[in-house]
Structures are given as C-alpha cells and as structure tokens.
Amino acid sequence: MNFHENDTAHKTGILARRRTRLLAAVFGLGVAGAVAGNFVVIPSLTPAYAQSQSQSAAPAQPFGFADVVQKVRPAVVSIKVKTEATTDASDDGDDNNGAPSNPFEFFFNGPGGGGMQHGRPQKQFGMALGSGFFISDDGYVVTNNHVVDHAQEVDVVTDGGKTYTAKVIGVDPKTDLALLKIADKDAKFPFVQLELQNEPRVGDWVLAVGNPYGLGGTVTAGIVSARGRDLNNSTYNDFLQIDAPVNRGNSGGPTFDLSGKVIGVNTAIYSPSGGSIGIGFAIPADTVQRVVQQLKTDGQVTRGYIGVQIQPVTQDIADSIGLKKASGALVADVTKNSPAAKAGLQSGDAITAVNGKGVADSRELARAIADIKPGDTADLTVWRDGKEQNVKVETSKLPGDKQLAEANTSQDDDSGKSALAGLGVELAPAASVAGAGKSGVVVTDVDPNSAAADALHPGDVILDVAGKPVSNVRDVREALSSARADSKRTVLLRVKNGDGTHFVALPVGKA
C-alpha cells in the first residue's frame, strides 16, 4: 500500500468514526427527547415505516376538550345581580379589606357600586356577577345562594349574549344553592343534565365552566382530587375538591365530566391570598338534585329532624361502650319533647344505621336524617348497654337556627373540693358553684400535664360517668372504681360546657 492509499484509508476511517458518532447522537436524541429552554420534546417511539405508510396520512391530533366544551357551553350562563345593602360610612366596600379572613372563600365577583356620603349608614345599590347553568329547556337555572343573596333584580346572560330577566324560585343557604326561572315563557334554552348514575372518582378529568370577573365564558380543566371534603363544619354538604383554576365569578358555574354531564356546582376555593391557587370545591350532583327538586316544588327545602346532639364515635369511646368498630354517632344529649325523646332515645346511645344503611360518623347521620321527609319514620339501629336494638323515630321538620339554639339552651340545668388521685382533676358539686346548675360535678382545676388535660377543662360539668349520673365527688370515685374492677382502660364521661353536651373518654388511672 502506497502513501496515497494509506492517506485515503486514514480519511475513510475518520469519516466512518464521525458518521458513527453522529448516528449515535441522533439515536440518543430519538430516545431521550430534546430539551430547549423550558420545553421538552418527546418524539414518538413508534417506528416510522416510510415505505408502508401513505405520505398523505394526517398526523394524529393531541387529546383535548373542545368537543365537550362545544357541547355544554351554550347551557352555561352569566348571572348579573343588582343588590341593595345598607353599609356604614366607614365601610370601604370590601368585607375582607383586600384579603380573605377565611382561606375557604365563597368566590363571588361583586364589584359594588353607588356612592356613599360620610357620617351615616347609606343605602347602596351594587352590581355583582356570578355563573349558572340551564337544567331544562323552559328556563330553570341553577346557581349559588350567595350569588343571588339580597338580590333586587336578577338577569341571566346566555352564551350568545342575550339577556333575560329571571325570578328567584327558592334558595337553600345550608347547601348554598339557588334555583332561578327565566320569565320568558316562549323561549327554549339549551340545557345540561346532572350526573346521577356514576359517582366521580378521584383522578377523573373535569372541566369547570363559568364567568370569572365578568370576562365572559371561560373553561379550565383539572381533576377530582378528593371527595367528602368538609368546609367550615358544613353538615349538609359533602364537597368535591376540584384541582382546576377557578376564580371569583365562577360561583354557581358547573363542573362537567368528559361526557358533558354536571358532577358539581362550583361554590368555593381555597385561597390564602384571595386569588385562585388551583384548589376549588363543588357541591355534588346528587345534593344538587335533591335540593333543586324541593325548591322547584315547594320554593324551600325541608329537612328531617329528631332532636339529638351527636358526636363521632372515637376508638376510645367505642372501647368504652363495647363497640367493635369506631363508627356511627354517639347521642350526647336528647332535646326535651323532641321526636327522639318521645321514641325513647337516650344519652349514650350509639346510632350505627338509619333504615338499614350504616352511618360512618355524625355527619353521615345528620345528612341521613335530613334526607328523610318530615313525618316519615326513621328506623334507627342503636347500640345500647352492650347490645344492638332498633328504635323507630317519627321525624319532624328541622327548626330554624334560632329555634334550635333556644331548644339546646332550654335543657334543664338540673343535670368540700377534692382531687381525684392519679387523674390530675379537681372537682366540686355543681350546686356549690355559681352558675353551674344543680346536677353533676364541676371541674375546678386540671393539671396541664395529666392524662385528663386533653379531655376536661375548668368549668366543664360532668353529668354522667360510665352511664351513671353523678352529683358529688364520691359518685365519680365509685364509678371509676367500678370501671377498674371491670378491667376497663377508659371510662366515658358525659360533659356539658359552652359548646353543648358531649362525651369524652377518660383513662381510668389508679385509685
């Protein structure tokens, strides 16, 4: 081989090595993806067989929500509400002074309006904006109660921009729902249906549609991130958590599944700052259905009532009363002359089922009783004295909040200072302490380092210990001694304080 041949071979080798490195780089790009700035491009890993595929084949379209949006958007409306309110001259028109006092905000776009004169309360008119949706072609619209609260005039603006006057048929503040009806009897409207067959699952895609800030119809996408959320101890609601960007003005707007059915009504957001951080809450469709039916028929919602104060059954309480599982609701007190009192329910009863359906906790019991029509009978499964029995209670209509408060405070108060060794609690007969009532014993002091510190506080009145009424320290000692003799680790105390009557489980301790 001459020099020319060697040079040619050398050059050929260099080109071959360069070609090999280039192919390796290209191969690496195809597998790992290309990163450019903040974007990562991941090519398809499906081989492209050029010879076997038509060159004119259209590329696959990415997943999107356009078909669903096109289907449902005509049924979503804007709600314009003219409100009247009397405000103090020092009020700046922002209840939260620019920041939410409660991170669970009922998001409502109310810019306000009208002038104020300083020095006296003034009657003001403001215009507020919300969202809603048609549930029938004859003009029934669902929205939030807080959207139309104190409304003087309500207008509904369709997706096409046409405005109609609407009448408030009924509202339900307890679930924050309202039903409107457009006055035009001849008009027909596009509407959507509630999803009542398939419950949404955590992880399902959802679309939130509404009118944030009065900008017009907008759509955001997210997922159901949780179910059964309890906001502000809301007894009659069981919120869906929707991780989609929703804002003030989305109130009353629908949340859709990918079939175009409504799974919930947007009502609140979690907002430490006042704006959306992507966590919203919706009233579930089954709740909306029950409430809307009553509002449409009666203009109001009536709920069943039996007249008990209840609390969850903790594991300590379950152990104390002999229940195998910590579930159900414990009756802390029974309102006098209530349906529960007439049926023979007692303090200390654990209600574990209603009409054969188990209840997990006190909230589930409250909702189950509320769903029973007043006058109908509730068949309660009750755990009492270590065995299960049935109690039938004829429900009555749930009183108003003021009546309930009066009923709870009108209960008969007839419910030497000494220390209980080992428990760190000092007691005195209630009759000897001003304002404590005539029955029970008053907690006068609690050692903050004792086992009782989490359960009892000074001023608490102990009415029963292990189901037995107590009126002095001796009664308490005897009840604790009896519990120790029965080898119980905890004993159940019925306690009354400023929050009402409830049970606490207290470690038995040593005599």
Side-chain angles (χ1 to χ4, degrees), residues 133-325:
F133 58 98
F134 288 113
I135 57 168
S136 62
D137 65 356
D138 56 349
Y140 280 99
V141 175
V142 172
T143 187
N144 283 144
N145 168 66
H146 75 262
V147 170
V148 297
D149 194 24
H150 303 300
Q152 297 297 306
E153 297 177 10
V154 179
D155 288 333
V156 171
V157 184
T158 67
D159 186 58
K162 192 167 183 179
T163 300
Y164 295 88
T165 300
K167 176 184 178 182
V168 178
I169 300 298
V171 299
D172 182 39
K174 293 186 183 299
T175 56
D176 195 27
L177 288 169
L179 182 66
L180 314 179
K181 177 70 166 66
I182 286 181
D184 191 334
K185 297 181 180 179
D186 299 325
K188 295 294 182 182
F189 302 95
F191 65 95
V192 288
Q193 295 179 334
L194 300 171
E195 176 54 83
L196 303 174
Q197 301 299 321
N198 302 308
E199 293 186 346
R201 302 169 302 167
V202 173
D204 280 347
W205 278 106
V206 292
L207 301 175
V209 185
N211 179 40
Y213 300 104
L215 297 173
T218 60
V219 182
T220 54
I223 63 168
V224 177
S225 56
R227 296 182 54 182
R229 291 300 198 206
D230 178 16
L231 307 188
N232 299 326
N233 297 314
S234 175
T235 302
Y236 301 106
N237 250 328
D238 198 12
F239 290 96
L240 299 173
Q241 181 175 313
I242 307 299
D243 282 17
V246 288
N247 293 279
R248 293 176 180 270
N250 272 102
S251 285
T255 297
F256 293 100
D257 62 16
L258 295 190
S259 71
K261 289 188 176 181
V262 178
I263 66 164
V265 176
N266 303 323
T267 194
I269 58 174
Y270 182 78
S271 178
S273 62
S276 172
I277 62 170
I279 300 178
F281 300 92
I283 305 164
D286 56 350
T287 300
V288 178
Q289 173 74 357
R290 290 195 302 270
V291 170
V292 166
Q293 282 182 337
Q294 289 199 51
L295 293 178
K296 191 172 182 180
T297 303
D298 305 323
Q300 62 180 351
V301 176
T302 56
R303 295 181 168 87
Y305 167 78
I306 60 175
V308 290
Q309 292 182 35
I310 53 177
Q311 66 182 86
V313 177
T314 64
Q315 189 60 56
D316 285 342
I317 289 175
D319 292 341
S320 299
I321 63 178
L323 264 178
K324 293 182 179 179
K325 188 169 70 169

Side-chain angles (χ1 to χ4, degrees), residues 365-449:
L365 174 63
R367 288 197 298 269
I369 295 298
D371 288 342
I372 298 175
K373 184 179 179 181
D376 289 352
T377 298
D379 189 358
L380 307 181
T381 303
V382 174
W383 182 263
R384 180 189 296 170
D385 298 330
K387 58 185 178 182
E388 193 174 86
Q389 54 186 285
N390 290 336
V391 177
K392 294 185 181 297
V393 183
E394 183 179 333
T395 63
S396 64
K397 181 180 177 181
L398 178 68
D401 293 339
K402 184 177 180 180
Q403 292 171 293
L404 281 174
E406 291 174 351
N408 290 334
T409 56
S410 65
Q411 300 292 315
D412 194 347
D413 283 339
D414 292 337
S415 358
K417 187 176 180 181
S418 177
L420 294 181
L423 294 182
V425 180
E426 292 186 354
L427 306 173
S432 68
V433 179
K438 299 179 181 179
S439 62
V441 294
V442 178
V443 177
T444 58
D445 193 22
V446 180
D447 182 348
N449 298 316

Side-chain angles (χ1 to χ4, degrees), residues 1-14:
M1 180 181 296
N2 58 31
F3 178 81
H4 178 75
E5 290 175 333
N6 287 338
D7 182 66
T8 301
H10 177 69
K11 291 181 178 179
T12 302
I14 292 174

